[in-house]
Amino acid sequence: MIFEKASPEKNQDHPERIWPLAVLLSPVEEASSCAGVLSGCLKEISASRAGKALIREAAEQGWGIGLADLKKHDFHIDVPEKIILLHNNGLAVGALADSPYFRNTLLASLVRAFRDVWQEKRYGGFDEAYNPEAVLMLERVRAADCDVMTILAAWQMRENGHDGLWRHLCGAAEGDTALAFSACLERNPGALANGRALGAAFRQWF
């Protein structure tokens, strides 16, 4: 069930081992293995309704996930091959599994990647229909959307007993956006249902 993206004819760009989401969503025996770490991340994200929906859609489309040293990028999506590569921060799998900081970094990147896949299905690339200035703005909007949905997923995970990602985001670059989201909910508990909390986070991002 595990397949290697290492065919010299078609997949020279992805020599990494890629696991189909369908495999990772099934029980994985070794929690400290690469597949085990990714499977554990999916299970944790699934504690969020939004995260679970994003995972389900990507799985239905046949996407797979792998880890690689991406240097300055948190993740990379290969749309034709339906592959999500996550940055391993240059760490071995065991170190990723043992570090709460890097595990939460991986969780955040995975939610963002799933949201980017969601965006790609609906809107594709912007460069074919818009001028360069508009493309830059739309890419910023897309990045903001990915970050805000990550905050939503983290909040929902927190409500279901998984608060690690939320605490991580509050102390990271997204902290101001996360706090704008939570402050809006404190003032108006119904702001999650009517979208105002998401709107507050989105405006704070900019």
Side-chain angles (χ1 to χ4, degrees):
M1 294 294 291
I2 295 173
F3 58 91
E4 300 271 355
K5 302 301 292 184
S7 165
E9 294 79 20
K10 296 184 179 180
N11 296 303
Q12 291 179 347
D13 291 338
H14 297 296
E16 304 84 5
R17 176 169 285 185
I18 307 299
W19 283 267
L21 276 171
V23 172
L24 295 176
L25 291 171
S26 302
V28 177
E29 293 182 2
E30 296 184 30
S32 61
S33 67
C34 186
V37 169
L38 293 173
S39 180
C41 287
L42 293 174
K43 183 177 181 180
E44 196 165 344
I45 293 169
S46 293
S48 154
R49 296 184 300 278
K52 187 174 184 178
L54 291 173
I55 291 170
R56 182 174 62 247
E57 180 169 309
E60 290 172 352
Q61 294 174 26
W63 283 78
I65 309 176
L67 294 172
D69 189 350
L70 301 179
K71 306 301 181 186
K72 298 180 180 180
H73 301 283
D74 293 334
F75 67 89
H76 169 73
I77 62 171
D78 184 329
V79 176
E81 295 287 342
K82 295 187 176 180
I83 292 171
I84 296 171
L85 284 180
L86 300 169
H87 183 30
N88 62 14
N89 284 281
L91 298 175
V93 175
L96 280 174
D98 293 338
S99 168
Y101 174 82
F102 286 111
R103 179 180 175 81
N104 285 319
T105 299
L106 198 64
L107 284 170
S109 296
L110 189 50
V111 178
R112 288 190 186 97
F114 281 134
R115 185 61 173 181
D116 212 25
V117 166
W118 184 94
Q119 292 274 6
E120 187 66 35
K121 177 185 177 182
R122 286 155 179 79
Y123 306 112
F126 300 122
D127 55 328
E128 295 181 1
Y130 299 95
N131 62 42
E133 292 78 11
V135 169
L136 289 174
M137 175 54 70
L138 289 168
E139 288 295 346
R140 280 175 54 79
V141 170
R142 184 164 169 165
D145 175 76
C146 290
D147 280 353
V148 170
M149 290 306 297
T150 302
I151 288 167
L152 172 62
W155 181 265
Q156 292 176 341
M157 290 161 65
R158 174 178 176 269
E159 290 182 323
N160 288 297
H162 300 273
D163 66 347
L165 180 56
W166 176 257
R167 289 188 288 106
H168 175 83
L169 293 177
C170 286
E174 302 85 357
D176 288 347
T177 307
L179 293 176
F181 177 87
S182 62
C184 184
L185 284 175
E186 288 175 4
R187 294 190 301 270
N188 179 7
L192 188 58
N194 62 28
R196 290 183 180 177
L198 293 172
F202 192 85
R203 288 191 296 274
Q204 179 63 44
W205 192 98
F206 283 94

